[in-house]
Amino acid sequence: MAASTLTEVARLAGVSPATASRVLNGSARKPGPDIADRVRQAADSLGYIPNAQAQGLAKSSSGLIGLIVHDIADPYFAAIARGVQEAAREQRKMVLLATTGGAPAEEKEAVAAFAARRADSIVIAGSRSSQPENQEGNAELAAELDRYCRNGGRVAVVGHPVVGATAEEGYHVVAVPNQELAAALAGKLASGWDGDFVIIGGPEGLFTSDDRVRGFQEGLAAAGREAADILRTAFNRAGGYEAGLKLAGLIKERQAGSGDAAGGRKLCIFAVNDVMAIGATAALRSQGLRIPRDAIIAGFDDIETLRDFRPALSTVRLPLEEIGRLATRATAPGTPAGGGGPERVSRDAGTGGTEKGGADVVQPHPIAGEVTLRRSTETAA
């Protein structure tokens, strides 16, 4: 059976299609209560379903928020998505989701699709990249975001500004203090550890990874320690596993050279995110090595998965759901900076340095992380 039409509703209610549209699509120009009731009763009796696009035009709002993440299966992005959903519910809006694998070209396509559907705002979560292979994708994404903002769209980016974006209105960044928190973690680990350090980092040019590597090295330097060696790999569990296999060989060489099963000076491994730390730990276990007996390890993010991970992983806790909420609220109409009198700092979209124009770094409530040391970095094991 064909769906009922607005014309049929209007005919049954004895009104014009324009009047029926104003009642059913939420226009500010509404007829009297008796006519409105007649139109609604006609719509109910016919089983009429209002057209969402027509409602969006009538209200100047589609009621949609676009969310772009690298991988929704990653607990980091899943937690941010929960926060976005909660804030969207407060605004009586629905969330559209796109996963892109971290490719700027895919993010550009997602922005274009959301813009075509008249999404009121877009939240983008996932590390930015200055890698050469992403140069063209970055330019296309920046141009698409600028176009969206010029047409009244509002954007919030978690972490760093999109490389090359120049929009000055409706474009916000919720900054995360990755570098400072990684430095704090290094300081705490160095205070109770006299062995060597190694970092499992993501590809060079991946901003989130680079910030955490840089911060950890700064924390070691502040503690009077030598810089850690860095293993570069994919920014995911598989990358952590690959790095863990390489480290297993190094740990076994140290143990053989010392004549001590404990390996003398054990390695302290810092993986720049928790899923990489989980992968590295699994790789060590596959080679007969145990944490913290043969090495100690720490991650970053404090994802929900860690509740069931053994040994309990030392990490830096980020309020991921709150980050999602803040990003979504920053794009709400009437709260240009998320509310609460936040600091707003214009930053260069590529380097983090200040410059004229560009995105507003929105901190309604500064993101506060916390270093949490657990069983995986106990040195007396």
Side-chain angles (χ1 to χ4, degrees):
M1 184 175 66
S4 299
T5 67
L6 185 66
T7 300
E8 291 172 337
V9 172
R11 186 182 302 118
L12 181 61
V15 299
S16 69
T19 298
S21 176
R22 284 194 289 271
V23 173
L24 298 174
N25 291 325
S27 172
R29 295 175 55 205
K30 293 183 179 180
D34 57 330
I35 295 176
D37 287 343
R38 215 162 64 228
V39 170
R40 293 192 188 97
Q41 288 173 6
D44 288 343
S45 66
L46 291 172
Y48 174 74
I49 300 175
N51 184 297
Q53 292 180 322
Q55 287 185 322
L57 289 172
K59 298 177 181 177
S60 298
S61 169
S62 66
L64 300 174
I65 296 174
L67 171 62
I68 301 172
V69 300
H70 289 185
D71 180 9
I72 196 60
D74 185 321
Y76 173 89
F77 294 112
I80 290 175
R82 281 197 299 271
V84 170
Q85 180 66 56
E86 181 179 322
R89 194 176 296 117
E90 293 172 356
Q91 300 173 29
R92 297 183 179 276
K93 295 184 178 182
M94 299 296 294
V95 177
L96 302 177
L97 174 67
T99 60
T100 64
E106 294 293 326
E107 292 175 320
K108 177 260 182 185
E109 293 298 326
V111 171
F114 290 154
R117 287 160 178 76
R118 301 294 189 267
D120 297 331
S121 60
I122 298 173
V123 175
I124 304 177
S127 182
R128 302 297 94 205
S129 168
S130 62
Q131 296 170 290
E133 60 267 31
N134 288 325
Q135 183 174 355
E136 183 178 350
N138 281 335
E140 292 177 351
L141 172 60
E144 195 66 45
L145 281 175
D146 288 346
R147 185 181 303 112
Y148 175 70
C149 289
R150 284 198 304 271
N151 283 281
R154 302 166 67 84
V155 174
V157 182
V158 174
H160 296 85
V162 169
V163 177
T166 59
E168 296 186 10
E169 294 295 329
Y171 177 35
H172 311 279
V173 176
V174 177
V176 179
N178 288 302
Q179 188 167 328
E180 296 86 344
L181 291 169
L185 173 64
K188 284 201 173 185
L189 292 174
S191 67
W193 178 253
D194 61 0
D196 298 324
F197 290 84
V198 63
I199 299 172
I200 302 177
E204 195 165 5
L206 196 66
F207 291 174
T208 297
S209 172
D210 288 350
D211 281 354
R212 294 175 182 183
V213 169
R214 188 181 307 113
F216 197 82
Q217 298 284 41
E218 289 173 354
L220 291 180
R225 306 298 292 274
E226 293 184 2
D229 291 332
I230 304 172
L231 283 178
R232 295 283 184 179
T233 185
F235 195 59
N236 53 31
R237 185 189 182 282
Y241 191 91
E242 179 183 346
L245 291 177
K246 294 178 181 177
L247 291 175
L250 176 60
I251 292 168
K252 288 184 177 181
E253 286 178 11
R254 286 178 167 232
Q255 291 177 344
S258 69
D260 178 2
R265 287 164 60 88
K266 293 187 291 187
L267 280 178
C268 177
I269 304 164
F270 167 53
V272 295
N273 67 41
D274 288 337
V275 293
M276 295 174 80
I278 290 171
T281 301
L284 295 177
R285 188 181 300 117
S286 76
Q287 300 302 305
L289 300 173
R290 294 290 182 269
I291 300 292
R293 183 192 68 193
D294 300 299
I296 62 175
I297 190 168
F300 201 111
D301 292 329
D302 201 20
I303 57 176
E304 188 173 0
T305 309
L306 296 187
R307 295 177 184 177
D308 302 316
F309 184 76
R310 295 294 179 272
L313 184 69
S314 294
T315 188
V316 173
R317 187 192 70 82
L318 288 179
L320 298 174
E321 291 189 30
E322 180 63 12
I323 288 171
R325 286 190 288 269
L326 290 176
T328 307
R329 291 167 182 163
T331 66
T335 54
E343 298 178 1
R344 304 177 71 191
V345 183
S346 180
R347 292 198 181 277
D348 178 359
T351 64
T354 59
E355 69 164 18
K356 222 173 180 183
D360 287 329
V361 177
V362 179
Q363 297 297 52
H365 308 285
I367 303 300
E370 179 184 4
V371 174
T372 303
L373 299 185
R374 300 183 177 121
R375 172 69 174 161
S376 71
T377 53
E378 288 185 2
T379 58

